[in-house]
Amino acid sequence: GAVVSQHPSRVICKSGTSVKIECRSLDFQATTMFWYRQFPKQSLMLMATSNEGSKATYEQGVEKDKFLINHASLTLSTLTVTSAHPEDSSFYICSARETGANVLTFGAGSRLTVL
Amino acid sequence: AQSVAQPEDQVNVAEGNPLTVKCTYSVSGNPYLFWYVQYPNRGLQFLLKYITGDNLVKGSYGFEAEFNKSQTSFHLKKPSALVSDSALYFCAVRDAGNTPLVFGKGTRLSVIA
């Protein structure tokens, strides 16, 4: 079945630095990928829809300059948290849907801790 | 806009007993409904989906769900719970277009031996 790889699984960084999270579809092409954020004991909040070759579509309230999304190929989308602050600490999860498929496949998630 | 309600934050079940995790939804048009499970510090794993066809959908690990259009519900069920079923369960919905999934808040299932 479809597999989505997300890296790194855990990252700790200092306040003010930037962190990049990669999301790869390993055995299928994904023109669209989705980035979610999950707070402790809460549901997944959709941050943005990543579109291959074009700008991402951000949900209301999500700062596009803070959370940079690049979808340069059909198998890779990246989320960069710029100038990270402790309140950005969270679990970030990407997902992708193979063209023509109905099911979203999720990465294992990336836990970001900003000190 | 689509929405999903999972009315229970926590469901406790004894091992071997049947379990139900509730979900109701709101969507314009025909719903695409999904259940996912999440283990600690992991991403979501797909359990089952309803797109069209038979209202009773069978999925992974012995789980099933019944689509009820009149009640706009899609409750997750399993005839006999296992301790290993203990996890966080999410119901999700989208419409027929290429729209993102909208998730419920999740229900934590605890199966007690």
Side-chain angles (χ1 to χ4, degrees), chain A residues 84-96:
Chain A
H85 291 285
E87 58 265 30
D88 298 324
S89 299
S90 192
F91 195 54
Y92 294 88
I93 308 175
C94 74
S95 65

PDB file of all heavy atoms in Angstrom, chain A residues 84-96:
ATOM      1  N   ALA A  84      11.497  29.748  15.002  1.00  0.00           N
ATOM      2  CA  ALA A  84      10.615  28.992  15.895  1.00  0.00           C
ATOM      3  C   ALA A  84      10.618  29.554  17.315  1.00  0.00           C
ATOM      4  O   ALA A  84      11.639  30.044  17.816  1.00  0.00           O
ATOM      5  CB  ALA A  84      11.049  27.531  15.901  1.00  0.00           C
ATOM      6  N   HIS A  85       9.473  29.466  17.936  1.00  0.00           N
ATOM      7  CA  HIS A  85       9.305  29.877  19.336  1.00  0.00           C
ATOM      8  C   HIS A  85       8.683  28.729  20.118  1.00  0.00           C
ATOM      9  O   HIS A  85       8.094  27.815  19.518  1.00  0.00           O
ATOM     10  CB  HIS A  85       8.434  31.126  19.411  1.00  0.00           C
ATOM     11  CG  HIS A  85       9.086  32.345  18.861  1.00  0.00           C
ATOM     12  ND1 HIS A  85      10.078  33.027  19.530  1.00  0.00           N
ATOM     13  CD2 HIS A  85       8.926  33.000  17.688  1.00  0.00           C
ATOM     14  CE1 HIS A  85      10.481  34.054  18.798  1.00  0.00           C
ATOM     15  NE2 HIS A  85       9.803  34.053  17.672  1.00  0.00           N
ATOM     16  N   PRO A  86       8.779  28.753  21.426  1.00  0.00           N
ATOM     17  CA  PRO A  86       8.229  27.644  22.226  1.00  0.00           C
ATOM     18  C   PRO A  86       6.764  27.323  21.907  1.00  0.00           C
ATOM     19  O   PRO A  86       6.377  26.152  21.951  1.00  0.00           O
ATOM     20  CB  PRO A  86       8.402  28.145  23.657  1.00  0.00           C
ATOM     21  CG  PRO A  86       9.631  28.985  23.600  1.00  0.00           C
ATOM     22  CD  PRO A  86       9.552  29.684  22.263  1.00  0.00           C
ATOM     23  N   GLU A  87       5.987  28.306  21.546  1.00  0.00           N
ATOM     24  CA  GLU A  87       4.568  28.038  21.248  1.00  0.00           C
ATOM     25  C   GLU A  87       4.378  27.286  19.939  1.00  0.00           C
ATOM     26  O   GLU A  87       3.262  26.813  19.642  1.00  0.00           O
ATOM     27  CB  GLU A  87       3.764  29.341  21.205  1.00  0.00           C
ATOM     28  CG  GLU A  87       4.256  30.356  20.207  1.00  0.00           C
ATOM     29  CD  GLU A  87       5.190  31.375  20.845  1.00  0.00           C
ATOM     30  OE1 GLU A  87       5.895  31.026  21.822  1.00  0.00           O
ATOM     31  OE2 GLU A  87       5.221  32.518  20.353  1.00  0.00           O
ATOM     32  N   ASP A  88       5.452  27.156  19.168  1.00  0.00           N
ATOM     33  CA  ASP A  88       5.389  26.357  17.945  1.00  0.00           C
ATOM     34  C   ASP A  88       5.614  24.876  18.229  1.00  0.00           C
ATOM     35  O   ASP A  88       5.455  24.039  17.321  1.00  0.00           O
ATOM     36  CB  ASP A  88       6.430  26.832  16.924  1.00  0.00           C
ATOM     37  CG  ASP A  88       6.209  28.265  16.494  1.00  0.00           C
ATOM     38  OD1 ASP A  88       5.035  28.676  16.381  1.00  0.00           O
ATOM     39  OD2 ASP A  88       7.214  28.984  16.285  1.00  0.00           O
ATOM     40  N   SER A  89       6.004  24.573  19.453  1.00  0.00           N
ATOM     41  CA  SER A  89       6.198  23.171  19.826  1.00  0.00           C
ATOM     42  C   SER A  89       4.894  22.418  19.641  1.00  0.00           C
ATOM     43  O   SER A  89       3.844  22.832  20.140  1.00  0.00           O
ATOM     44  CB  SER A  89       6.651  23.073  21.287  1.00  0.00           C
ATOM     45  OG  SER A  89       7.879  23.736  21.485  1.00  0.00           O
ATOM     46  N   SER A  90       4.961  21.333  18.905  1.00  0.00           N
ATOM     47  CA  SER A  90       3.742  20.599  18.568  1.00  0.00           C
ATOM     48  C   SER A  90       4.113  19.327  17.820  1.00  0.00           C
ATOM     49  O   SER A  90       5.288  19.046  17.571  1.00  0.00           O
ATOM     50  CB  SER A  90       2.843  21.478  17.689  1.00  0.00           C
ATOM     51  OG  SER A  90       1.550  20.928  17.568  1.00  0.00           O
ATOM     52  N   PHE A  91       3.098  18.572  17.480  1.00  0.00           N
ATOM     53  CA  PHE A  91       3.255  17.376  16.655  1.00  0.00           C
ATOM     54  C   PHE A  91       2.726  17.731  15.268  1.00  0.00           C
ATOM     55  O   PHE A  91       1.571  18.103  15.123  1.00  0.00           O
ATOM     56  CB  PHE A  91       2.454  16.231  17.278  1.00  0.00           C
ATOM     57  CG  PHE A  91       2.782  14.865  16.750  1.00  0.00           C
ATOM     58  CD1 PHE A  91       4.084  14.398  16.742  1.00  0.00           C
ATOM     59  CD2 PHE A  91       1.786  14.024  16.283  1.00  0.00           C
ATOM     60  CE1 PHE A  91       4.397  13.129  16.270  1.00  0.00           C
ATOM     61  CE2 PHE A  91       2.079  12.758  15.816  1.00  0.00           C
ATOM     62  CZ  PHE A  91       3.384  12.301  15.807  1.00  0.00           C
ATOM     63  N   TYR A  92       3.587  17.653  14.278  1.00  0.00           N
ATOM     64  CA  TYR A  92       3.217  18.003  12.904  1.00  0.00           C
ATOM     65  C   TYR A  92       3.113  16.720  12.083  1.00  0.00           C
ATOM     66  O   TYR A  92       4.015  15.884  12.101  1.00  0.00           O
ATOM     67  CB  TYR A  92       4.253  18.947  12.289  1.00  0.00           C
ATOM     68  CG  TYR A  92       4.301  20.297  12.973  1.00  0.00           C
ATOM     69  CD1 TYR A  92       5.124  20.504  14.075  1.00  0.00           C
ATOM     70  CD2 TYR A  92       3.512  21.351  12.526  1.00  0.00           C
ATOM     71  CE1 TYR A  92       5.144  21.735  14.719  1.00  0.00           C
ATOM     72  CE2 TYR A  92       3.528  22.582  13.163  1.00  0.00           C
ATOM     73  CZ  TYR A  92       4.348  22.761  14.259  1.00  0.00           C
ATOM     74  OH  TYR A  92       4.367  23.982  14.888  1.00  0.00           O
ATOM     75  N   ILE A  93       2.017  16.599  11.370  1.00  0.00           N
ATOM     76  CA  ILE A  93       1.765  15.379  10.600  1.00  0.00           C
ATOM     77  C   ILE A  93       1.434  15.747   9.160  1.00  0.00           C
ATOM     78  O   ILE A  93       0.614  16.646   8.921  1.00  0.00           O
ATOM     79  CB  ILE A  93       0.584  14.575  11.176  1.00  0.00           C
ATOM     80  CG1 ILE A  93       0.771  14.327  12.670  1.00  0.00           C
ATOM     81  CG2 ILE A  93       0.445  13.249  10.454  1.00  0.00           C
ATOM     82  CD1 ILE A  93      -0.421  13.629  13.321  1.00  0.00           C
ATOM     83  N   CYS A  94       2.074  15.068   8.239  1.00  0.00           N
ATOM     84  CA  CYS A  94       1.752  15.291   6.838  1.00  0.00           C
ATOM     85  C   CYS A  94       0.947  14.114   6.307  1.00  0.00           C
ATOM     86  O   CYS A  94       0.946  13.020   6.881  1.00  0.00           O
ATOM     87  CB  CYS A  94       3.004  15.494   5.999  1.00  0.00           C
ATOM     88  SG  CYS A  94       3.941  13.998   5.702  1.00  0.00           S
ATOM     89  N   SER A  95       0.252  14.350   5.227  1.00  0.00           N
ATOM     90  CA  SER A  95      -0.502  13.279   4.596  1.00  0.00           C
ATOM     91  C   SER A  95      -0.559  13.513   3.101  1.00  0.00           C
ATOM     92  O   SER A  95      -0.381  14.634   2.625  1.00  0.00           O
ATOM     93  CB  SER A  95      -1.919  13.202   5.175  1.00  0.00           C
ATOM     94  OG  SER A  95      -2.646  14.366   4.857  1.00  0.00           O
ATOM     95  N   ALA A  96      -0.818  12.440   2.385  1.00  0.00           N
ATOM     96  CA  ALA A  96      -0.883  12.529   0.934  1.00  0.00           C
ATOM     97  C   ALA A  96      -1.911  11.548   0.418  1.00  0.00           C
ATOM     98  O   ALA A  96      -2.187  10.523   1.048  1.00  0.00           O
ATOM     99  CB  ALA A  96       0.487  12.223   0.315  1.00  0.00           C
TER     100      ALA A  96
END
